[in-house]
Amino acid sequence: PLSDEEAATLARFSVICVSLDTLDADLLRRIRRGLELEVLETNLRRIRDFSGEFSPYFALSSGVYDKTVIGLESLGDFCQKYDIKRITFWQLVKYPDVPDGLNARSIPSLPEPERRACVEAFEMALISIRAKGITVEVAGEFLHEWKKTLSAG
């Protein structure tokens, strides 16, 4: 949780970008090493409370990988609730697995049936989020590359 001083300082920023890959509280805790969704939400509200007339432009940075892709659509409602204007989606760059860690897999590394389901889920999430008026960026346009790897049909 942010202290009053920290929240007041952040409230003076022009832009704040939060890394958030999922709204599944348990998964978030495991991915982001103990981050509690409720604490994040409280911090966002507190920063807004301290901002007065001027409010920072809030954005999300969200990873797209096997553990998160199915739930990304829910980020649109989260953005609306907290007046977050933009989401930048990034593709997982795979590093060596961590012992006893939650080890994610990149979408291109999945077998085709799983990869196809992930591509479809991500496309639906993009449509849903954009329909809510949230600006979406797909960093590197990786979705096009994923689609090229799928067989016809």
Side-chain angles (χ1 to χ4, degrees):
L2 295 174
S3 69
D4 286 350
E5 182 180 3
E6 291 166 330
T9 298
L10 288 169
R12 296 192 315 259
F13 281 38
S14 298
V15 177
I16 297 175
C17 186
V18 177
S19 294
L20 183 65
D21 307 333
T22 181
L23 294 180
D24 177 318
D26 182 55
L27 182 58
L28 180 63
R29 197 175 302 112
R30 294 169 53 212
I31 290 171
R32 295 288 175 179
R33 296 188 177 111
L35 174 62
E36 296 290 338
L37 184 59
E38 300 81 24
V39 172
L40 173 63
E41 291 177 300
T42 298
N43 287 342
L44 290 171
R45 284 191 298 272
R46 295 193 71 233
I47 292 166
R48 292 253 189 243
D49 290 346
F50 276 98
S51 66
E53 286 183 45
F54 169 78
S55 184
Y57 178 97
F58 281 91
L60 293 183
S61 175
S62 300
V64 183
Y65 43 94
D66 69 324
K67 307 279 191 238
T68 64
V69 68
I70 300 302
L72 291 175
E73 189 172 330
S74 64
L75 291 177
D77 292 332
F78 185 85
C79 287
Q80 283 185 314
K81 181 176 181 180
Y82 292 102
D83 195 27
I84 296 169
K85 306 288 189 194
R86 176 185 200 89
I87 303 176
T88 299
F89 290 106
W90 49 268
Q91 176 176 217
L92 177 74
V93 174
K94 183 66 176 159
Y95 290 97
D97 286 345
V98 176
D100 300 323
L102 179 67
N103 295 296
R105 296 179 298 161
S106 67
I107 304 303
S109 74
L110 300 174
E112 182 164 343
E114 289 178 61
R115 193 168 62 246
R116 181 177 300 281
C118 290
V119 166
E120 290 171 3
F122 187 51
E123 286 182 310
M124 294 306 297
L126 294 176
I127 290 167
S128 173
I129 292 167
R130 286 180 174 133
K132 294 177 184 334
I134 311 302
T135 301
V136 172
E137 176 186 11
V138 178
E141 295 299 324
F142 56 83
L143 179 58
H144 299 297
E145 294 303 314
W146 292 357
K147 290 170 83 170
K148 286 181 191 176
T149 69
L150 300 175
S151 61

